[in-house]
């Protein structure tokens, strides 16, 4: 299944998709970043995947940026769009255009800790566990239907950095697995709910 991956940073989740692409029936057609210095672009280039850097700071509005982003995506006619650490709030027009074919990974047990700095916020809240969620993207920030989660216990001596490291291990396992469900045709979004093998999640 043809996909485009959107990133903003180091691209470690992108790397796990590149490494697993053959096993999960994924053809990465392009990688797009809103930051020109994102290391993930280098990872893509090393794998001979076309890259695009679209600096969001050069646009006067979110709508204008999203239009160019959409035009760039559509060149590749992807069947799935993967947000792998893409740190932009997308406009409703954009999310509605790709409803049901856009997946995001978020480093918290949603609906807890939407947005940024999730690891520190989990520690500050005195949580006993933390983790990662994969969900369909909708208009609501980090609020689309949850597909799957992985959990890690929070240890007494955890820092945001140590917690992030353990969560990242789970991210690299969970995201390819969920994407494989999608490429197999097992995972769908219907009437605002995620379904796996016809069962509501």
């Amino acid at each position: 299944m043809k996909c485009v991956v959107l990133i903003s940073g180091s691209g470690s989740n992108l790397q796990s998709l590149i490494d697993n692409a053959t096993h999960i029936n994924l053809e990465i057609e392009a990688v797009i970043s809103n930051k020109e210095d994102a290391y993930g672009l280098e990872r893509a280039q090393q794998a001979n995947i076309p890259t695009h850097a679209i600096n969001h700071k050069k646009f006067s509005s979110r709508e204008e940026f999203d239009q160019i982003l959409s035009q760039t995506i559509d060149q590749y006619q992807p069947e799935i769009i993967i947000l792998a650490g893409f740190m932009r709030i997308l406009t409703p027009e954009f999310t509605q255009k790709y409803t049901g074919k856009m997946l995001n990974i978020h480093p918290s047990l949603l609906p807890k800790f939407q947005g940024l700095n999730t690891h520190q916020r989990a520690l500050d809240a005195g949580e006993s566990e933390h983790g990662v969620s994969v969900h369909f993207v909708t208009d609501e920030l980090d609020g689309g239907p949850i597909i799957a989660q992985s959990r890690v216990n929070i240890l007494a001596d955890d820092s945001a950095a140590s917690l992030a490291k353990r969560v990242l291990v789970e991210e690299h396992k969970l995201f390819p697995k969920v994407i494989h469900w999608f490429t197999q045709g097992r995972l769908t979004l219907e009437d605002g709910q995620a379904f796996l093998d016809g069962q509501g999640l």
Side-chain angles (χ1 to χ4, degrees), residues 80-92:
I80 176 175
I81 298 161
I82 298 168
L83 278 59
F86 187 63
M87 309 300 285
R88 291 286 299 161
I89 295 172
L90 296 163
T91 58

Side-chain angles (χ1 to χ4, degrees), residues 87-107:
M87 309 300 285
R88 291 286 299 161
I89 295 172
L90 296 163
T91 58
E93 291 78 13
F94 185 94
T95 56
Q96 285 161 19
K97 178 176 178 179
Y98 300 110
T99 296
K101 56 194 289 188
M102 191 157 46
L103 298 177
N104 182 47
I105 189 161
H106 181 76

Side-chain angles (χ1 to χ4, degrees), residues 4 6 80-85 98 100-105 134-137 145 147 175 178-183 187 189:
V4 168
L6 308 185
I80 176 175
I81 298 161
I82 298 168
L83 278 59
Y98 300 110
K101 56 194 289 188
M102 191 157 46
L103 298 177
N104 182 47
I105 189 161
V134 178
H135 65 95
F136 279 108
V137 177
I147 301 160
F175 212 12
V178 171
I179 289 164
H180 195 198
W181 292 343
F182 191 92
T183 62
L187 176 65
L189 179 67

